[in-house]
Amino acid sequence: MIVTEPSHDRALDAAASRAHSNRPPAIEAVGLTKRYGDVEALAGLDLVAPAGQVTAVLGPNGAGKTTFVKAVATLLRPDRGSLHVVGIDAITHPQQIRRVIGLAGQNAAVEPALTGRENLVMVARLFGHRRAAARAAADSVLAEIGLTDDADRPVRGYSGGMRRRLDLGASLVGAPRLLLLDEPTTGLDPRTRLELWGSIRALVRGGTDVLLTTQYLEEADQLADHVVIIDHGRSIATGSPTELKARAGRDVVDVRVRHAADLGRTADLLAPLSSDAPHLDPPARRITVPVADGTARLTDAVRAITADGIELDDIGLRRPTLDEVFLALTAHDA
Amino acid sequence: MNTTNTTNTITAPDHPPTALATAGAYASRTIRQFARTPQLLVVGALTSVMFLLIFRYVFGGAIDTGAIAYVDFLIPALAAAAGLFSSGATGVAEDADSGLFDRLRSLPVPRAAVLLGRSLADTALVMWSVVVTIVVGFAVGFRIGGGPLEALAAFGLCVLFAAAFSWLMIYLGLISGTAQAAQGISFSVFPLIFVSSAYVPVESMPGWLQPVAEHQPVTAMVGAVRALTIDADAAMVLGHSTSWFVVRALLWSVVILAVFATLSTRRFARGG
């Protein structure tokens, strides 16, 4: 497993604004194993989440994302392997880890009968704040997540997005060094997802390290400096979103024909351009094919198609999307 | 969206919360949840009052309790065994299911104190239904035959029984997984209530069942509260002295509390 250096776009900004140089990695897992009966949820997972960054753990359902977050949050003990969180051994010193992390799980674990403020004050007390400090922490977090105006209403009147924001806020009242977000936007509508992304970005600017899990490539692309793709309890690729796209290596020739009837013939014309078979998307009348020497192959494609007299709506060359990278990397079980 | 960053104004607490603060935070949250959910508040007290009215007016006439008026026989039993009608198991299963327990386990709290908070709250909530039952009991003819100190001791015992049973309910909630299952499992304690001297004298049961009913905790608890709340002459009918019942009730409470508090706390600390 090659652990690549942080990318130089967002990572540099982050590093500059935080001015922390020699901090230990937020998370360092080596050979982490966890078995439930016959299922190996973690199968020797190696993962490093660098300090001062947002790390996204990306993977399909059942890849081991939640098990990993639970291990980091000291909710479960790995069978084998070592796990350090901000430099502290999570297996021998779980109580110390609990003082530096904040967890927002897959459900919004907030109490509907209490007000937003009461929910936050309760969690702040449980982090160890005294009464006055707990109230101050709640006020400050309410402002940060944009819920000050709704703070004294019972949560049962909140929308789903407001509950998630409150849950995110609850993980912040202890001023954690590392925030763990397990699928923070699963089940939210697109607008609410954007809102929550905004909240998470604001936190990151404030200097909190974040580990988030997601099934959405777009989410990882939007929020993370560092992406770890896991599958079957193992890490299968790491890097910045840009690096991972580059790692799939090849550009994609993307063609849209005017008449659906031309799809088959166009695919035949494109086939010689690549060692991979062209991918057809009939409803969109689209054909994509990954190619090595992008610009030259695009010219070839245009030439062949025009010579044949096929009418096109669009033709172009583009970088692969993270979806394509992801599918390529996890193709072994497809 | 307010993007002004204010996190930096919060500093991480110097010390983790004390056991008292932990138990207090969870207890106060649970009591507020109950008090602000009318269904819970009403249903909690209603079950007990319903049993009171049904047994007082429907079955009571057919049950021979000798020198003791049936209503004086019944009310102490409802007060002593109220903890077995608690919705605590369902509450615990809901908190496990909602992700609250995961959050609590991720916090630097003394884990043993978390469920103590739940037990304190559940005990207080059971005592709410006990008080309602006693008030309604007075309205339908219940009278205290013993002295005020004895009545106070009886109430104190009811608190202890409620606390002991709260741990049993917490354990049932922890092992049941879902709120629905917890509700079902809660019914498993019904034989404990009915195969006891709570509603009918043990002597009226078939011979093979009598030893079971005679020697199980609810009979001892109910007997203790009864012996303390009826006058000395009537107490003769109960078959044993007040201290016979009280000592056994205390022992049973301590055993139930110790066993289920230990099992529950271990299970919670272990997680999952």
Short mmCIF file of all heavy atoms in Angstrom, two decimals, chain A residues 163-206:
data_model
loop_
_atom_site.label_atom_id
_atom_site.label_comp_id
_atom_site.label_asym_id
_atom_site.label_seq_id
_atom_site.Cartn_x
_atom_site.Cartn_y
_atom_site.Cartn_z
N ARG A 163 -31.90 18.48 12.41
CA ARG A 163 -31.50 17.47 13.39
C ARG A 163 -30.07 17.02 13.16
O ARG A 163 -29.30 16.85 14.10
CB ARG A 163 -32.42 16.25 13.31
CG ARG A 163 -33.77 16.51 13.91
CD ARG A 163 -34.62 15.25 13.89
NE ARG A 163 -35.99 15.61 14.18
CZ ARG A 163 -36.85 14.83 14.80
NH1 ARG A 163 -36.47 13.62 15.18
NH2 ARG A 163 -38.08 15.22 15.04
N ARG A 164 -29.73 16.82 11.87
CA ARG A 164 -28.36 16.40 11.56
C ARG A 164 -27.37 17.49 11.96
O ARG A 164 -26.29 17.20 12.45
CB ARG A 164 -28.21 16.13 10.06
CG ARG A 164 -28.84 14.85 9.61
CD ARG A 164 -28.13 13.65 10.19
NE ARG A 164 -28.74 12.43 9.70
CZ ARG A 164 -28.30 11.72 8.67
NH1 ARG A 164 -27.21 12.10 8.05
NH2 ARG A 164 -28.92 10.65 8.29
N ARG A 165 -27.75 18.75 11.72
CA ARG A 165 -26.85 19.83 12.09
C ARG A 165 -26.68 19.88 13.61
O ARG A 165 -25.58 20.11 14.11
CB ARG A 165 -27.39 21.17 11.58
CG ARG A 165 -26.70 21.61 10.30
CD ARG A 165 -27.60 22.41 9.41
NE ARG A 165 -28.00 23.68 9.97
CZ ARG A 165 -29.09 24.34 9.59
NH1 ARG A 165 -29.87 23.82 8.66
NH2 ARG A 165 -29.39 25.49 10.12
N LEU A 166 -27.78 19.66 14.32
CA LEU A 166 -27.70 19.66 15.78
C LEU A 166 -26.81 18.50 16.26
O LEU A 166 -26.01 18.66 17.18
CB LEU A 166 -29.10 19.53 16.38
CG LEU A 166 -29.17 19.67 17.90
CD1 LEU A 166 -28.78 21.08 18.34
CD2 LEU A 166 -30.56 19.32 18.42
N ASP A 167 -26.97 17.36 15.61
CA ASP A 167 -26.16 16.20 15.98
C ASP A 167 -24.68 16.47 15.72
O ASP A 167 -23.82 16.15 16.53
CB ASP A 167 -26.63 14.99 15.17
CG ASP A 167 -26.05 13.69 15.71
OD1 ASP A 167 -26.09 13.50 16.94
OD2 ASP A 167 -25.54 12.89 14.91
N LEU A 168 -24.43 17.13 14.59
CA LEU A 168 -23.06 17.56 14.29
C LEU A 168 -22.57 18.51 15.38
O LEU A 168 -21.45 18.39 15.89
CB LEU A 168 -23.05 18.26 12.92
CG LEU A 168 -21.74 18.82 12.40
CD1 LEU A 168 -20.75 17.71 12.14
CD2 LEU A 168 -21.99 19.61 11.11
N GLY A 169 -23.44 19.44 15.79
CA GLY A 169 -23.10 20.39 16.84
C GLY A 169 -22.79 19.68 18.16
O GLY A 169 -21.85 20.06 18.87
N ALA A 170 -23.56 18.63 18.46
CA ALA A 170 -23.35 17.91 19.72
C ALA A 170 -21.96 17.29 19.77
O ALA A 170 -21.37 17.16 20.84
CB ALA A 170 -24.41 16.83 19.88
N SER A 171 -21.43 16.93 18.60
CA SER A 171 -20.10 16.33 18.60
C SER A 171 -19.01 17.40 18.76
O SER A 171 -17.84 17.09 18.92
CB SER A 171 -19.88 15.54 17.31
OG SER A 171 -19.91 16.42 16.21
N LEU A 172 -19.41 18.69 18.74
CA LEU A 172 -18.43 19.78 18.78
C LEU A 172 -18.31 20.46 20.13
O LEU A 172 -17.35 21.18 20.37
CB LEU A 172 -18.84 20.86 17.76
CG LEU A 172 -18.77 20.46 16.31
CD1 LEU A 172 -19.40 21.56 15.46
CD2 LEU A 172 -17.35 20.23 15.91
N VAL A 173 -19.28 20.26 21.02
CA VAL A 173 -19.31 21.06 22.25
C VAL A 173 -18.12 20.77 23.17
O VAL A 173 -17.83 21.56 24.06
CB VAL A 173 -20.63 20.87 23.04
CG1 VAL A 173 -21.78 21.56 22.33
CG2 VAL A 173 -20.93 19.40 23.27
N GLY A 174 -17.42 19.65 22.95
CA GLY A 174 -16.25 19.36 23.77
C GLY A 174 -14.96 19.83 23.13
O GLY A 174 -13.89 19.47 23.59
N ALA A 175 -15.06 20.66 22.08
CA ALA A 175 -13.89 21.15 21.35
C ALA A 175 -12.94 20.01 20.99
O ALA A 175 -11.78 19.99 21.39
CB ALA A 175 -13.15 22.22 22.16
N PRO A 176 -13.45 18.99 20.27
CA PRO A 176 -12.60 17.83 19.97
C PRO A 176 -11.49 18.18 18.99
O PRO A 176 -11.63 19.12 18.21
CB PRO A 176 -13.58 16.84 19.33
CG PRO A 176 -14.62 17.70 18.69
CD PRO A 176 -14.76 18.89 19.60
N ARG A 177 -10.40 17.42 19.05
CA ARG A 177 -9.32 17.61 18.07
C ARG A 177 -9.64 16.86 16.79
O ARG A 177 -9.17 17.20 15.72
CB ARG A 177 -8.00 17.10 18.65
CG ARG A 177 -7.45 18.05 19.69
CD ARG A 177 -6.32 17.43 20.46
NE ARG A 177 -5.17 17.16 19.62
CZ ARG A 177 -4.07 16.53 20.06
NH1 ARG A 177 -4.02 16.12 21.31
NH2 ARG A 177 -3.06 16.32 19.25
N LEU A 178 -10.41 15.79 16.94
CA LEU A 178 -10.77 14.98 15.78
C LEU A 178 -12.27 14.72 15.78
O LEU A 178 -12.82 14.26 16.76
CB LEU A 178 -10.02 13.64 15.81
CG LEU A 178 -10.44 12.61 14.76
CD1 LEU A 178 -10.09 13.10 13.36
CD2 LEU A 178 -9.78 11.27 15.04
N LEU A 179 -12.88 15.05 14.66
CA LEU A 179 -14.31 14.86 14.51
C LEU A 179 -14.55 13.64 13.63
O LEU A 179 -13.97 13.53 12.56
CB LEU A 179 -14.88 16.12 13.86
CG LEU A 179 -16.37 16.30 13.86
CD1 LEU A 179 -16.90 16.31 15.27
CD2 LEU A 179 -16.69 17.62 13.17
N LEU A 180 -15.41 12.71 14.11
CA LEU A 180 -15.72 11.51 13.34
C LEU A 180 -17.15 11.62 12.83
O LEU A 180 -18.08 11.69 13.63
CB LEU A 180 -15.58 10.28 14.23
CG LEU A 180 -14.23 10.09 14.91
CD1 LEU A 180 -14.31 9.01 15.97
CD2 LEU A 180 -13.18 9.74 13.87
N LEU A 181 -17.32 11.64 11.53
CA LEU A 181 -18.66 11.76 10.96
C LEU A 181 -18.96 10.50 10.14
O LEU A 181 -18.34 10.28 9.10
CB LEU A 181 -18.75 12.99 10.06
CG LEU A 181 -18.32 14.32 10.68
CD1 LEU A 181 -18.36 15.44 9.64
CD2 LEU A 181 -19.21 14.66 11.86
N ASP A 182 -19.88 9.69 10.63
CA ASP A 182 -20.20 8.45 9.93
C ASP A 182 -21.39 8.69 9.00
O ASP A 182 -22.51 8.86 9.46
CB ASP A 182 -20.51 7.35 10.95
CG ASP A 182 -20.58 5.97 10.31
OD1 ASP A 182 -20.14 5.83 9.16
OD2 ASP A 182 -21.10 5.05 10.95
N GLU A 183 -21.12 8.70 7.72
CA GLU A 183 -22.13 8.97 6.69
C GLU A 183 -23.04 10.14 7.09
O GLU A 183 -24.25 9.98 7.26
CB GLU A 183 -22.97 7.71 6.44
CG GLU A 183 -22.08 6.55 6.01
CD GLU A 183 -22.81 5.45 5.27
OE1 GLU A 183 -24.03 5.62 5.02
OE2 GLU A 183 -22.17 4.46 4.92
N PRO A 184 -22.44 11.33 7.21
CA PRO A 184 -23.19 12.46 7.76
C PRO A 184 -24.39 12.89 6.91
O PRO A 184 -25.31 13.48 7.45
CB PRO A 184 -22.15 13.59 7.83
CG PRO A 184 -21.11 13.21 6.85
CD PRO A 184 -21.06 11.72 6.86
N THR A 185 -24.39 12.60 5.63
CA THR A 185 -25.49 13.11 4.81
C THR A 185 -26.37 12.02 4.22
O THR A 185 -27.23 12.30 3.38
CB THR A 185 -24.97 13.99 3.65
OG1 THR A 185 -24.20 13.16 2.78
CG2 THR A 185 -24.11 15.13 4.14
N THR A 186 -26.17 10.77 4.68
CA THR A 186 -27.01 9.68 4.16
C THR A 186 -28.47 9.96 4.46
O THR A 186 -28.83 10.29 5.59
CB THR A 186 -26.58 8.34 4.78
OG1 THR A 186 -25.25 8.07 4.38
CG2 THR A 186 -27.47 7.20 4.32
N GLY A 187 -29.30 9.84 3.43
CA GLY A 187 -30.73 10.02 3.63
C GLY A 187 -31.20 11.47 3.59
O GLY A 187 -32.38 11.74 3.79
N LEU A 188 -30.30 12.41 3.34
CA LEU A 188 -30.73 13.81 3.26
C LEU A 188 -31.02 14.19 1.81
O LEU A 188 -30.43 13.65 0.88
CB LEU A 188 -29.64 14.73 3.79
CG LEU A 188 -29.34 14.62 5.29
CD1 LEU A 188 -28.30 15.65 5.68
CD2 LEU A 188 -30.60 14.82 6.11
N ASP A 189 -31.95 15.14 1.63
CA ASP A 189 -32.23 15.60 0.27
C ASP A 189 -31.06 16.48 -0.18
O ASP A 189 -30.28 16.96 0.64
CB ASP A 189 -33.57 16.33 0.21
CG ASP A 189 -33.58 17.54 1.11
OD1 ASP A 189 -32.87 18.52 0.77
OD2 ASP A 189 -34.25 17.52 2.15
N PRO A 190 -30.94 16.70 -1.49
CA PRO A 190 -29.75 17.40 -2.01
C PRO A 190 -29.52 18.78 -1.41
O PRO A 190 -28.40 19.15 -1.11
CB PRO A 190 -30.05 17.51 -3.51
CG PRO A 190 -30.99 16.40 -3.79
CD PRO A 190 -31.80 16.20 -2.56
N ARG A 191 -30.60 19.53 -1.18
CA ARG A 191 -30.43 20.88 -0.66
C ARG A 191 -29.88 20.82 0.78
O ARG A 191 -28.95 21.54 1.14
CB ARG A 191 -31.77 21.62 -0.67
CG ARG A 191 -31.63 23.13 -0.52
CD ARG A 191 -33.00 23.79 -0.58
NE ARG A 191 -33.88 23.24 0.45
CZ ARG A 191 -33.92 23.71 1.71
NH1 ARG A 191 -33.16 24.72 2.06
NH2 ARG A 191 -34.74 23.18 2.58
N THR A 192 -30.45 19.91 1.58
CA THR A 192 -30.00 19.77 2.96
C THR A 192 -28.56 19.27 3.01
O THR A 192 -27.78 19.67 3.87
CB THR A 192 -30.92 18.79 3.70
OG1 THR A 192 -32.26 19.11 3.37
CG2 THR A 192 -30.74 18.89 5.18
N ARG A 193 -28.23 18.40 2.04
CA ARG A 193 -26.86 17.90 1.98
C ARG A 193 -25.88 19.06 1.75
O ARG A 193 -24.86 19.17 2.42
CB ARG A 193 -26.74 16.88 0.85
CG ARG A 193 -25.33 16.39 0.63
CD ARG A 193 -25.31 15.24 -0.35
NE ARG A 193 -26.14 14.16 0.10
CZ ARG A 193 -26.63 13.22 -0.69
NH1 ARG A 193 -26.37 13.25 -1.98
NH2 ARG A 193 -27.37 12.27 -0.21
N LEU A 194 -26.25 19.96 0.84
CA LEU A 194 -25.39 21.11 0.57
C LEU A 194 -25.22 21.96 1.83
O LEU A 194 -24.13 22.43 2.14
CB LEU A 194 -25.99 21.98 -0.54
CG LEU A 194 -25.84 21.43 -1.96
CD1 LEU A 194 -26.56 22.34 -2.96
CD2 LEU A 194 -24.37 21.30 -2.32
N GLU A 195 -26.32 22.15 2.57
CA GLU A 195 -26.27 22.92 3.81
C GLU A 195 -25.29 22.30 4.80
O GLU A 195 -24.49 22.99 5.41
CB GLU A 195 -27.65 22.89 4.47
CG GLU A 195 -28.47 24.13 4.27
CD GLU A 195 -29.85 23.96 4.90
OE1 GLU A 195 -29.97 23.31 5.98
OE2 GLU A 195 -30.81 24.44 4.31
N LEU A 196 -25.38 20.97 4.93
CA LEU A 196 -24.52 20.28 5.89
C LEU A 196 -23.06 20.35 5.44
O LEU A 196 -22.17 20.52 6.26
CB LEU A 196 -24.97 18.84 6.06
CG LEU A 196 -24.54 18.21 7.38
CD1 LEU A 196 -25.32 18.81 8.54
CD2 LEU A 196 -24.73 16.72 7.37
N TRP A 197 -22.84 20.26 4.14
CA TRP A 197 -21.47 20.42 3.62
C TRP A 197 -20.92 21.77 4.03
O TRP A 197 -19.77 21.90 4.42
CB TRP A 197 -21.46 20.30 2.09
CG TRP A 197 -21.58 18.89 1.59
CD1 TRP A 197 -21.64 17.76 2.36
CD2 TRP A 197 -21.66 18.46 0.24
NE1 TRP A 197 -21.75 16.66 1.55
CE2 TRP A 197 -21.76 17.06 0.25
CE3 TRP A 197 -21.65 19.13 -0.98
CZ2 TRP A 197 -21.86 16.31 -0.92
CZ3 TRP A 197 -21.75 18.39 -2.14
CH2 TRP A 197 -21.84 16.98 -2.11
N GLY A 198 -21.78 22.80 3.94
CA GLY A 198 -21.37 24.14 4.35
C GLY A 198 -20.92 24.16 5.80
O GLY A 198 -19.87 24.71 6.13
N SER A 199 -21.70 23.51 6.65
CA SER A 199 -21.35 23.46 8.08
C SER A 199 -20.02 22.75 8.28
O SER A 199 -19.18 23.18 9.07
CB SER A 199 -22.42 22.71 8.88
OG SER A 199 -23.66 23.35 8.77
N ILE A 200 -19.83 21.63 7.57
CA ILE A 200 -18.60 20.86 7.74
C ILE A 200 -17.39 21.67 7.26
O ILE A 200 -16.36 21.72 7.92
CB ILE A 200 -18.70 19.51 7.01
CG1 ILE A 200 -19.79 18.64 7.66
CG2 ILE A 200 -17.36 18.77 7.05
CD1 ILE A 200 -20.14 17.37 6.90
N ARG A 201 -17.56 22.38 6.13
CA ARG A 201 -16.45 23.19 5.61
C ARG A 201 -16.07 24.27 6.60
O ARG A 201 -14.90 24.56 6.81
CB ARG A 201 -16.84 23.85 4.29
CG ARG A 201 -16.79 22.90 3.14
CD ARG A 201 -16.61 23.65 1.82
NE ARG A 201 -16.89 22.74 0.73
CZ ARG A 201 -18.09 22.61 0.18
NH1 ARG A 201 -19.10 23.36 0.59
NH2 ARG A 201 -18.28 21.74 -0.78
N ALA A 202 -17.09 24.87 7.24
CA ALA A 202 -16.82 25.94 8.21
C ALA A 202 -15.98 25.40 9.37
O ALA A 202 -15.06 26.05 9.84
CB ALA A 202 -18.13 26.53 8.73
N LEU A 203 -16.29 24.18 9.79
CA LEU A 203 -15.53 23.56 10.88
C LEU A 203 -14.09 23.36 10.49
O LEU A 203 -13.17 23.59 11.27
CB LEU A 203 -16.07 22.17 11.17
CG LEU A 203 -17.45 22.10 11.75
CD1 LEU A 203 -17.87 20.65 11.85
CD2 LEU A 203 -17.38 22.72 13.10
N VAL A 204 -13.92 22.90 9.27
CA VAL A 204 -12.58 22.59 8.81
C VAL A 204 -11.73 23.86 8.79
O VAL A 204 -10.58 23.85 9.19
CB VAL A 204 -12.65 21.94 7.41
CG1 VAL A 204 -11.28 21.72 6.87
CG2 VAL A 204 -13.42 20.64 7.50
N ARG A 205 -12.36 24.96 8.36
CA ARG A 205 -11.64 26.24 8.39
C ARG A 205 -11.22 26.58 9.80
O ARG A 205 -10.21 27.22 10.03
CB ARG A 205 -12.51 27.36 7.80
CG ARG A 205 -12.48 27.41 6.29
CD ARG A 205 -12.98 28.76 5.77
NE ARG A 205 -14.41 28.96 6.03
CZ ARG A 205 -15.36 28.47 5.24
NH1 ARG A 205 -15.06 27.77 4.16
NH2 ARG A 205 -16.63 28.70 5.52
N GLY A 206 -12.03 26.15 10.78
CA GLY A 206 -11.71 26.41 12.17
C GLY A 206 -10.58 25.56 12.72
O GLY A 206 -10.13 25.77 13.82
#
